[in-house]
């Protein structure tokens, strides 16, 4: 097992999940964050078959909102004096909330933890309201400027577009390969009633949509979104005490939260997008689940160990490409071959982002990671 410095937690289970429809920000009938969190949370409680009185702790996940917005949402479920923690960890906010819930349950701090994530966002590219302090990603942006220069395109599109350019130069991928990722995700979203966009596009339409930063076009980039998601995490002891709920419980077999390695600043555009972080998290989580690495085609007889479905963070098609590599779903530098073979959709080796992914489903930051778990 990959070393993390301590043993894995005791078993923890997802007992119920809930989602709202993801929607374009500032729509005329847009729900407030209180409604988004409440709808997702009530659905999760109903799905779990429990009352809020059973919840020991709450975790509220959001990036854009005032401090203690979590308490405002959770008080709608009941004022039980259960502690509520507010989490802001950028695009990993919802995933961080799930990790915290599992840690709490698995380390014996709680038997039932409710995680609710939401976002009520502004239209357009993400910006920071802070102008009187250092930007936390300032060093990352500076490395991009030093190695790749800067344009008028949104900074995130430049960073991920640069990673795509490096992938093309090193491994032979083409602009069509990145567009095909987006085409597949848009096609998947047509089956997801919660998706922000549900329109399929041809490869030609995706390639001909406005270019943000070559090879990335508009239809290869996730939108900002309003939406909510929730999950109920419970312990083995809770299920033992409530055996009628066990059939609906899903074991969290492996999980890991990681941050950047020194390679972040090795002047590679791919490294700059957190390749080592993803690789580390995947290695530890897979080992914890008893899978040393995702089996390749020649190992397909080992059905119980094969990864057949994956929800990953495709904020841009470029990130899906490099994440396929980092997760070990293919040999390094071969993700585009996996795309070309049809191995990331139905009928292929692993269905990636059946929800439509961030590109089509939407990306309300605080809800995204929880929504991915709900999809699975």
């Amino acid at each position: 097992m990959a070393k993390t410095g301590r043993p894995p937690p005791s078993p923890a289970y997802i007992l119920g999940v809930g989602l709202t429809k993801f929607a374009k920000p500032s729509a005329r009938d847009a729900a407030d964050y209180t409604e988004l969190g409440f709808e997702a949370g009530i659905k999760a409680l109903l799905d779990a078959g429990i009352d809020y009185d059973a919840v020991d702790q709450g975790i509220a996940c959001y990036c854009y909102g005032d401090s203690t917005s979590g308490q405002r949402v959770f008080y709608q479920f009941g004022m039980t004096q259960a502690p509520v923690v507010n989490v802001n960890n950028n695009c990993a906010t919802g995933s961080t909330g799930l990790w915290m819930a599992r840690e709490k349950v698995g380390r014996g701090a709680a038997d039932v933890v409710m995680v609710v994530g939401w976002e009520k966002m502004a239209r357009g590219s993400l910006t920071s309201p802070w102008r009187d302090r250092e930007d936390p990603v300032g060093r990352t942006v500076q490395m991009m400027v030093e190695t790749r220069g800067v344009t008028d395109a949104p900074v995130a599109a430049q960073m991920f577009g640069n990673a795509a350019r490096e992938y093309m130069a090193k491994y032979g991928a083409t602009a069509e390969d990145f567009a095909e990722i987006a085409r597949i995700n848009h096609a998947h979203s047509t089956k997801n009633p919660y998706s922000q966009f549900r329109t399929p596009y041809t490869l030609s339409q995706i390639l001909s949509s406005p270019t943000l930063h070559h090879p990335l076009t508009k239809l290869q980039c996730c939108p900002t979104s309003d939406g909510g998601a929730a999950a109920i995490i419970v312990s083995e002891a809770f299920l033992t005490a409530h055996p009628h709920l066990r059939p609906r419980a899903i074991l969290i077999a492996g999980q890991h939260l990681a941050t950047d390695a020194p390679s972040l600043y090795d002047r590679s555009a791919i490294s700059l997008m957190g390749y080592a972080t993803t690789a580390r998290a995947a290695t530890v989580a897979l080992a914890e689940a008893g899978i040393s690495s995702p089996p390749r085609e020649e190992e397909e007889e080992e059905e119980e160990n094969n990864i057949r479905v994956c929800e990953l963070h495709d904020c841009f098609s470029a990130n899906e490409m490099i994440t396929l590599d980092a997760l070990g779903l293919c040999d390094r530098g071969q993700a585009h071959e996996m795309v070309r073979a049809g191995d990331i959709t139905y009928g292929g080796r692993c269905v990636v982002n059946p929800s439509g992914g961030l590109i089509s489903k939407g990306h309300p930051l605080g809800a995204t990671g929880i929504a991915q778990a709900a999809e699975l």
Side-chain angles (χ1 to χ4, degrees):
M1 175 178 288
K3 294 182 179 179
T4 61
R6 57 177 180 166
S10 299
Y13 302 81
I14 297 179
L15 187 62
V17 295
L19 288 171
T20 72
K21 180 174 174 57
F22 290 2
K24 185 176 182 179
S26 304
R28 181 178 302 176
D29 58 347
D32 202 352
Y33 77 93
T34 53
E35 300 168 270
L36 297 169
F38 183 71
E39 178 185 339
I42 288 295
K43 287 179 175 178
L45 289 167
L46 290 170
D47 190 43
I50 65 172
D51 296 326
Y52 183 66
D53 287 346
V55 174
D56 297 317
Q57 297 185 30
I59 299 175
C61 304
Y62 62 96
C63 294
Y64 296 97
D66 286 335
S67 176
T68 69
S69 291
Q71 280 79 351
R72 175 65 181 85
V73 168
F74 272 81
Y75 287 176
Q76 297 174 110
F77 306 125
M79 300 184 73
T80 62
Q81 296 192 298
V84 175
V85 177
N86 294 272
V87 177
N88 178 342
N89 207 15
N90 212 347
C91 298
T93 297
S95 299
T96 302
L98 287 174
W99 176 81
M100 290 176 64
R102 190 206 185 201
E103 283 289 302
K104 288 173 177 292
V105 167
R107 306 293 177 189
D111 285 314
V112 182
V113 178
M114 182 174 183
V115 187
V116 184
W118 64 83
E119 217 66 72
K120 188 172 176 63
M121 303 182 73
R123 292 188 181 188
S125 301
L126 301 182
T127 59
S128 171
W130 311 112
R131 297 289 183 267
D132 62 346
R133 63 204 70 184
E134 184 170 342
D135 186 337
V137 296
R139 288 188 64 194
T140 304
V141 174
Q142 185 57 39
M143 178 60 69
M144 179 196 77
V145 173
E146 291 176 5
T147 55
R148 294 279 178 165
V150 65
T151 71
D152 292 333
V155 172
Q158 292 183 62
M159 288 184 165
F160 286 100
N162 290 336
R165 293 178 183 184
E166 181 177 310
Y167 202 95
M168 293 165 73
K170 290 181 69 173
Y171 304 121
T174 66
E176 287 75 14
D177 294 324
F178 292 95
E180 176 65 3
I181 286 173
R183 187 198 67 77
I184 289 170
N185 286 337
H186 284 292
H188 288 173
S189 73
T190 62
K191 298 179 175 63
N192 181 4
Y194 294 104
S195 183
Q196 182 169 340
F197 301 127
R198 301 185 68 197
T199 302
Y201 295 96
T202 66
L203 188 65
S204 177
Q205 286 174 313
I206 291 168
L207 286 167
S208 62
S209 63
T211 297
L212 273 71
H213 190 77
H214 182 75
L216 299 180
T217 61
K218 185 176 181 179
L219 289 174
Q220 297 177 59
C221 308
C222 72
T224 52
S225 314
D226 289 354
I232 309 294
I233 314 301
V234 301
S235 68
E236 180 70 37
F238 181 84
L239 292 178
T240 299
H242 302 83
H244 65 290
L245 296 177
R246 188 175 289 277
R248 68 181 71 190
I250 305 297
L251 175 68
I252 302 175
Q255 186 182 36
H256 190 65
L257 189 70
T259 51
D260 292 303
S263 60
L264 182 72
Y265 301 120
D266 68 5
R267 306 182 73 81
S268 159
I270 293 174
S271 296
L272 199 61
M273 293 300 91
Y275 184 95
T277 305
T278 302
R280 168 66 175 174
T283 298
V284 176
L286 288 167
E288 190 178 308
I291 304 172
S292 59
S293 64
R296 303 289 189 261
E297 291 182 80
E298 62 270 17
E299 298 169 306
E300 286 190 351
E301 65 274 9
E302 301 178 30
E303 289 289 333
E304 72 279 4
N305 282 337
N306 276 352
I307 294 175
R308 295 299 190 185
V309 62
C310 173
E311 282 282 325
L312 60 75
H313 197 89
D314 61 316
C315 48
F316 298 88
S317 60
N319 201 46
E320 178 162 333
M321 186 77 80
I322 63 177
T323 301
L324 290 170
D325 270 18
L327 292 175
L329 290 171
C330 60
D331 292 329
R332 186 159 189 178
Q334 295 300 304
H336 60 296
E337 298 292 354
M338 192 176 176
V339 173
R340 291 173 185 177
D343 277 337
I344 62 169
T345 190
Y346 297 97
R349 187 146 46 93
C350 179
V351 181
V352 178
N353 291 332
S355 67
L358 283 60
I359 285 175
S360 198
K361 178 183 62 179
H363 185 21
L365 276 63
T368 288
I370 306 168
Q372 290 175 311
E375 175 69 21
L376 297 173

